[in-house]
Amino acid sequence: MNVAETSIDAPLAGRGDERLLLDRGSLFLQRTAAVAAAAAAEAEDVDHQARFPKAAIDAARREKLLGMLIPVEFGGFGATISDVTEVCYTLGRACASSAMIFAMHQTKVACLTRHGSGSSFHEKLMRRVAAEQLLLASSTTEGQNGGNIRSSAAAVERSGAEIALTRNATVISYGAEADGIVTIARRTNDAASSDQVLLAVTRENYTLERSLGWEALGMRGTCSAGFELKIKGPAEMIFPEAYEKIHVQSMMPVAHLSWSSVWAGIAAAAVERAQRFIRKAARGSGGQLPPGAAHYTSARRSLAKLRATITANLDNYAVREYDERALASLDFQSSINLLKVEASELAVETVMSAMRACGLSGYRTDGEFSVGRHLRDALSAPLMINNDRILSNIATASLMSGVPAGLRD
Ligand SMILES: Cc1cc2nc3c(=O)[nH]c(=O)nc-3n(C[C@H](O)[C@H](O)[C@H](O)COP(=O)(O)OP(=O)(O)OC[C@H]3O[C@@H](n4cnc5c(N)ncnc54)[C@H](O)[C@@H]3O)c2cc1C
């Protein structure tokens, strides 16, 4: 069976066909290409109108990519985080908002698959994500607490087997369009702000009342409005493991790997435009490179660094993925935090170099060489859990871990 013959409804493994496993990479590529085409076609309008990229997310549903991380036994494709980051990169080249929505959704699904196994409520939700292609949003930012995820104000209220939670959710990307929300909260009313739990909730168990709009410089299609989030339902919505553990093992590593891949995709799209500009200029002047060519080379250099940083961290995560101690180590936690800082800065740097390579044609908001949208989208990267916050949080830990003795230590 080759890729073209593979049914769209078939899981990628578990059918006893080894060739299917071999084709797995190209099958994801094929499905991703269909989503990327839909995303690219509406990218300008999504940005202009600050509207949800419906065609792209509908295509992701049709291609069953929203459930790609769900294990085969629960109806998904059993994809790896590495598979997900490839999709994020490809979508990032087409439409940053679609890619970021996909990345945020997959981060929530990664928490569900790893920390929901063994809990009948969460296993049922896994099956629903795969079968119904549910889109999950994230609510971590609360009140004026900014990106301080490891501290919550709102607490879970318990009444027998039922719980309730009301959160001042300052930002929930695609909150209005999502089928479910994964959110953090204080364990109980008398728990410390860092004693948190994670909850997975679907539409029937929550209401959203809009408190803030989303008129932003970039990432406009993420529709990251503010809401009052009110949850009521069974206590089983709470994950069995403490959020502290989920944060270290899944939430933060997968978020940083997938977001970074989105930003690399945005940077790659800007580099592609700069390449076309330089080629056209060279053709028009008998092969003579325009003066901005050096900026194009700089853009290529920082894009190469960005991709290498992400792949090194992907490998680092893959070898530790099921080793709890290694995941919790100071070295790994510092490195995966620094990935976010480094990738976000490199993405902005790359897009800036691409813009300088294109000159006015890049600065314009119209025309085939415009990189204005890419720059506005990339500028969200250093703020999305602010780099300053991350650097100050890991300052003490990085003092405690030794300086590597060898290149591959
Ligand atoms: C495109 C996009 C989508 C998002 N989607 C979601 C979502 O779906 N769900 C969600 O919950 N959140 C979401 N967020 C919010 C995000 O996760 C962060 O919470 C938010 O970007 C931080 O907001 P802030 O800059 O107001 O707060 P802060 O992090 O408090 O930063 C404010 C200022 O304080 C400075 N600062 C903060 N801490 C320190 C420190 N320790 N040392 C030095 N300076 C510091 C920063 O540099 C910055 O200047 C999204 C953000 C973006 C950009």
Side-chain angles (χ1 to χ4, degrees):
M1 181 186 293
N2 63 29
V3 171
E5 289 166 339
T6 306
S7 155
I8 215 157
D9 293 320
L12 291 184
R15 307 168 95 220
D17 188 335
E18 286 176 6
R19 279 170 302 169
L20 203 55
L21 275 176
L22 289 176
D23 284 340
R24 171 197 181 94
S26 47
L27 196 53
F28 282 137
L29 276 181
Q30 204 178 51
R31 291 179 184 225
T32 306
V35 183
E42 65 174 349
E44 292 291 339
D45 191 58
V46 160
D47 175 60
H48 193 65
Q49 311 274 351
R51 69 161 174 85
F52 180 71
K54 187 175 179 315
I57 301 304
D58 282 352
R61 284 198 167 101
R62 263 196 316 276
E63 297 297 331
K64 307 224 179 289
L65 289 181
L66 293 188
M68 68 186 286
L69 269 179
I70 304 282
V72 172
E73 61 267 36
F74 296 113
F77 289 160
T80 63
I81 301 301
S82 193
D83 294 327
V84 164
T85 55
E86 284 294 340
V87 182
C88 291
Y89 177 75
T90 305
L91 295 186
R93 294 179 69 176
C95 167
S97 292
S98 305
M100 187 48 81
I101 291 170
F102 187 80
M104 290 193 267
H105 162 81
Q106 296 297 349
T107 304
K108 305 300 117 178
V109 178
C111 294
L112 183 63
T113 57
R114 181 170 181 137
H115 305 280
S117 291
S119 144
S120 58
F121 177 88
H122 296 99
E123 288 185 353
K124 193 171 156 205
L125 183 54
M126 276 189 241
R127 288 185 201 283
R128 283 192 64 193
V129 170
E132 299 168 39
Q133 293 290 297
L134 300 184
L135 178 66
L136 303 183
S138 166
S139 176
T140 54
T141 310
E142 184 180 19
Q144 300 307 311
N145 211 12
N148 190 6
I149 297 184
R150 289 296 289 108
S151 170
S152 286
V156 173
E157 290 165 36
R158 292 166 192 265
S159 161
E162 291 283 299
I163 59 155
L165 172 70
T166 301
R167 269 189 121 237
N168 172 9
T170 336
V171 194
I172 305 183
S173 293
Y174 54 97
E177 290 81 10
D179 306 300
I181 293 179
V182 175
T183 186
I184 47 176
R186 255 183 327 130
R187 184 179 298 278
T188 58
N189 248 325
D190 46 11
S193 61
S194 61
D195 183 5
Q196 297 161 296
V197 289
L198 188 70
L199 297 87
V201 203
T202 45
R203 278 272 173 206
E204 55 275 24
N205 290 116
Y206 68 84
T207 58
L208 288 173
E209 194 172 318
R210 188 183 281 253
S211 55
L212 260 178
W214 180 248
E215 196 50 65
L217 194 61
M219 286 292 182
R220 292 168 56 79
T222 60
C223 302
S224 305
F227 299 92
E228 184 184 59
L229 167 63
K230 281 190 173 174
I231 296 173
K232 213 171 175 19
E236 292 90 61
M237 295 187 297
I238 299 175
F239 282 79
E241 286 178 315
Y243 179 65
E244 184 180 19
K245 199 168 170 184
I246 300 174
H247 181 81
V248 163
Q249 295 179 3
S250 308
M251 182 79 99
M252 193 266 290
V254 178
H256 289 187
L257 289 164
S258 58
W259 296 357
S260 299
S261 306
V262 172
W263 301 328
I266 301 171
V271 168
E272 202 181 350
R273 289 188 179 205
Q275 185 183 55
R276 279 196 274 114
F277 175 84
I278 299 289
R279 281 181 178 169
K280 190 175 177 188
R283 270 200 305 274
S285 55
Q288 181 78 30
L289 287 179
H295 288 296
Y296 166 67
T297 313
S298 295
R300 288 302 290 247
R301 188 194 58 185
S302 50
L303 179 62
K305 199 166 152 191
L306 171 54
R307 290 171 63 246
T309 306
I310 296 170
T311 51
N313 275 278
L314 272 172
D315 294 347
N316 221 357
Y317 182 64
V319 295
R320 286 164 181 77
E321 196 169 353
Y322 298 103
D323 181 342
E324 293 193 9
R325 275 186 58 184
L327 282 179
S329 71
L330 278 185
D331 275 349
F332 177 76
Q333 290 295 309
S334 297
S335 146
I336 203 81
N337 268 299
L338 288 176
L339 162 69
K340 191 268 149 180
V341 175
E342 184 71 357
S344 57
E345 303 289 355
L346 281 169
V348 175
E349 190 183 318
T350 307
V351 181
M352 269 310 298
S353 296
M355 177 174 288
R356 292 185 70 181
C358 297
L360 193 56
S361 302
Y363 185 69
R364 294 180 65 98
T365 57
D366 56 359
E368 58 176 322
F369 304 119
S370 167
V371 285
R373 171 165 56 88
H374 305 83
L375 184 61
R376 288 185 288 103
D377 289 335
L379 284 174
S380 68
L383 318 183
M384 203 172 163
I385 310 299
N386 202 290
N387 286 356
D388 297 336
R389 183 185 287 283
I390 294 179
L391 288 172
S392 84
N393 282 352
I394 63 170
T396 313
S398 53
L399 270 181
M400 285 156 71
S401 65
V403 174
L407 282 176
R408 291 186 179 279
D409 273 8

